[in-house]
Amino acid sequence: ISPYGAVRAIGHLRGIMSKMGAIVLGEEMTVPFAAQAFGEAGELVNPALQTLTKQLGANLARTVENLNAVPVS
C-alpha cells in the first residue's frame, strides 16, 4: 500500500469529471494512509488535514453560492 496512489489517480479523475461536465474545484486534497488518518469517531486526527478540510468545504460552499447566483435561461 502506497500513500501516493490517490495522488496519481486524482489527476485522472479530475480530467474525467471535467470531460463529463462537472465543475472541479481548483484545490485538491488527499489523505495518505487513510486507514490510520481517522479517529474512533470518524474525525481526522491530523490538525493540518482538519484545517485543510474546513478550507476546502468553505471554498465548495462559496462555489455553490456563486453558481446559484447565476440566472438560468
Side-chain angles (χ1 to χ4, degrees):
I1 296 180
S2 164
Y4 303 107
V7 172
R8 287 190 293 270
I10 201 167
H12 296 292
L13 182 58
R14 291 171 66 81
I16 291 166
M17 296 301 292
S18 291
K19 290 281 185 188
M20 292 175 61
I23 296 170
V24 187
L25 296 178
E27 298 86 1
E28 54 191 50
M29 176 182 166
T30 59
V31 180
F33 300 110
Q36 295 86 31
F38 297 90
E40 296 257 337
E43 79 286 0
L44 285 165
V45 295
N46 181 324
L49 287 177
Q50 289 175 354
T51 299
L52 182 56
T53 301
K54 289 176 185 172
Q55 291 170 343
L56 288 174
N59 184 22
L60 175 60
R62 277 190 305 277
T63 300
V64 170
E65 272 185 20
N66 291 338
L67 288 171
N68 286 333
V70 175
V72 178
S73 53

